[in-house]
Amino acid sequence: MHPVTFHCVHYLLSVGELSQLPPDRGAEVAFAGRSNAGKSSAINALCGRRGIAFVSRTPGRTQLINFFRLGAGQYLVDLPGYGYANAPLALRARWEALIGAYLQQRRALRGLILVMDARHPLTPLDRRMLDWFASTRRPVHALLSKADKLSRQAGERQRVETQEMLSRLYPTTSVQLFSSTAHIGLEQARGALATMLEPRDGTEDHVQDATPDGGRIGP
Ligand code: GDP
């Protein structure tokens, strides 16, 4: 067993082309979400260290797929945010080609954590992500972020409605309320992440590292 060590996360590398992806082995969980949905804050809160996802926000990296190493053969993958109002068409097309192919073809990708603002989940671009990923039949765990901005009752209603809608369309989804600032749902989210990264019987892929030295690259 390789328990997930959330506090030991290290930045590994950033990728802008499919050809630059690290070897397709080990276990990865990708984080996706509209820009401003709270994805970076969620990654930081889950990993218990400020500034981990900060690397993903440095100039030049916001449109890249950023890999972090959690443990032996276990990776957290921060996908570029989507939904920028003024993104040029060419950039959007590039993003679609990169992210669509990554989501549909990556064998090491065990599951997707979809971060959506609890006040307006399931935007058309969120659905696009789900549609791409649904064909893989792998699990999606939705974090309804900024739950502190809703009353307990409104949050719960939103969770149930989102779960119902998703269950109809995408059978392997689960939904929870989450807040990075108010520390709502952190353990539940860590549990979902750890389950996706769990080693599978009969495979050795969990002990392999995606980089030859398994080490740290970059800052
Ligand atoms: P990203 O673009 O998806 O990575 O979003 P960020 O993590 O940068 O968050 C976008 C904005 O939402 C920032 O101003 C954060 O301070 C705020 N934010 C993120 N998470 C929460 C949360 O749990 N509660 C509240 N109230 N604000 C949050």
Side-chain angles (χ1 to χ4, degrees):
M1 254 321 246
H2 294 266
V4 183
T5 47
F6 292 99
H7 57 284
C8 290
V9 65
H10 290 305
Y11 169 66
L12 210 56
L13 78 166
S14 302
V15 166
E17 308 273 344
L18 287 174
S19 61
Q20 299 168 339
L21 284 170
D24 194 357
R25 57 174 186 249
E28 297 168 10
V29 171
F31 278 68
R34 261 187 93 84
S35 64
N36 215 38
K39 177 166 59 69
S40 310
S41 305
I43 293 173
N44 287 341
L46 288 170
C47 296
R49 277 170 65 172
R50 284 180 165 269
I52 286 296
F54 176 74
V55 269
S56 309
R57 318 200 88 208
T58 53
R61 288 209 184 112
T62 52
Q63 293 304 313
L64 302 178
I65 301 179
N66 296 295
F67 282 77
F68 298 85
R69 182 178 183 272
L70 283 168
Q74 294 174 323
Y75 304 92
L76 187 161
V77 181
D78 188 13
L79 299 179
Y82 45 86
Y84 292 96
N86 300 319
L89 219 58
L91 189 67
R92 273 190 244 173
R94 212 176 108 81
W95 178 87
E96 291 200 4
L98 178 66
I99 305 305
Y102 170 77
L103 288 177
Q104 291 178 332
Q105 294 167 15
R106 185 81 172 164
R107 281 184 304 132
L109 183 59
R110 294 284 186 79
L112 181 69
I113 306 261
L114 185 59
V115 182
M116 300 184 287
D117 191 314
R119 295 163 296 176
H120 32 83
L122 294 175
T123 65
L125 285 172
D126 294 326
R127 289 171 192 264
R128 172 97 57 97
M129 297 293 287
L130 288 162
D131 286 339
W132 277 331
F133 199 58
S135 65
T136 67
R137 312 184 78 80
R138 290 178 190 165
V140 176
H141 186 71
L143 301 184
L144 297 183
S145 63
K146 310 188 192 181
D148 57 290
K149 297 219 181 214
L150 293 176
S151 70
R152 194 171 290 228
Q153 202 181 15
E156 185 53 19
R157 198 179 327 122
Q158 189 67 288
R159 187 191 66 76
V160 171
E161 280 174 14
T162 308
Q163 177 73 70
E164 279 174 3
M165 211 176 309
L166 283 174
S167 302
R168 248 178 280 136
L169 300 169
Y170 317 96
T172 49
T173 46
S174 46
V175 182
Q176 68 158 101
L177 292 169
F178 188 87
S179 168
S180 307
T181 50
H183 290 202
I184 297 170
L186 259 62
E187 280 314 306
Q188 190 181 350
R190 287 192 187 113
L193 192 50
T195 302
M196 289 176 182
L197 290 171
E198 249 167 31
R200 290 184 184 148
D201 287 347
T203 63
E204 291 299 315
D205 63 1
H206 58 278
V207 293
Q208 302 273 332
D209 264 311
T211 51
D213 65 358
R216 184 177 165 188
I217 302 170

